[in-house]
Amino acid sequence: MASKNLMQMSTDIVKLDRFDGGSFKRWQKKMQFLLATLKVAYVLTKPYPKESEDETLTASREHLKFENDDFICRRHILNAMSDPLFDVYQNYSTAKELWNALEERYFTEDATS
């Protein structure tokens, strides 16, 4: 049942308005809700875990989960952008870097307009 709900939500993601550079705060709140629903929003605030050679199995699994969740989060953010913005922001390597770049660029613009 849970997987059916995720599949339904995945098809509804297409209906999410594409961010085109305007109304960043509104788009940001919708995106945060989506990422929280997918349980990947934590990668936007937590530091990237450091790898070590003598990692325990539990630590290794947590590291892999973080990497996977970061990938999912980053791809959902990019997918919700217009094509020109996607081209500009696709080269950020982590979701947190991407999110911070968007906030730095558009949060101040929303505040001044």
Side-chain angles (χ1 to χ4, degrees):
M1 177 108 183
S3 63
K4 186 175 182 181
N5 289 338
L6 277 177
M7 288 180 67
Q8 178 65 37
M9 192 173 81
S10 294
T11 58
D12 290 344
I13 289 171
V14 177
K15 297 176 186 172
L16 189 68
D17 293 336
R18 300 243 182 245
F19 179 60
D20 60 1
S23 302
F24 176 72
K25 289 180 187 177
R26 179 179 295 124
W27 176 84
Q28 183 185 42
K29 289 188 183 304
K30 290 179 181 182
M31 182 55 60
Q32 285 172 326
F33 177 74
L34 170 66
L35 297 174
T37 304
L38 294 172
K39 298 181 181 171
V40 297
Y42 73 95
V43 300
L44 300 176
T45 56
K46 301 273 186 200
Y48 209 84
K50 295 180 181 168
E51 288 187 60
S52 65
E53 290 190 24
D54 58 342
E55 222 171 36
T56 65
L57 183 59
T58 303
S60 179
R61 285 182 179 160
E62 288 174 4
H63 185 81
L64 288 172
K65 181 182 179 340
F66 191 95
E67 283 183 354
N68 185 58
D69 289 348
D70 182 69
F71 175 82
I72 291 168
C73 185
R74 184 175 164 275
R75 292 299 176 166
H76 276 289
I77 294 169
L78 288 170
N79 189 48
M81 294 179 155
S82 65
D83 289 343
L85 287 180
F86 177 92
D87 293 340
V88 170
Y89 289 100
Q90 70 177 333
N91 294 325
Y92 285 91
S93 59
T94 67
K96 187 174 187 173
E97 288 175 358
L98 171 60
W99 195 253
N100 289 341
L102 288 168
E103 282 186 331
E104 186 177 315
R105 170 72 167 87
Y106 293 102
F107 199 73
T108 54
E109 268 188 23
D110 270 7
T112 59
S113 56

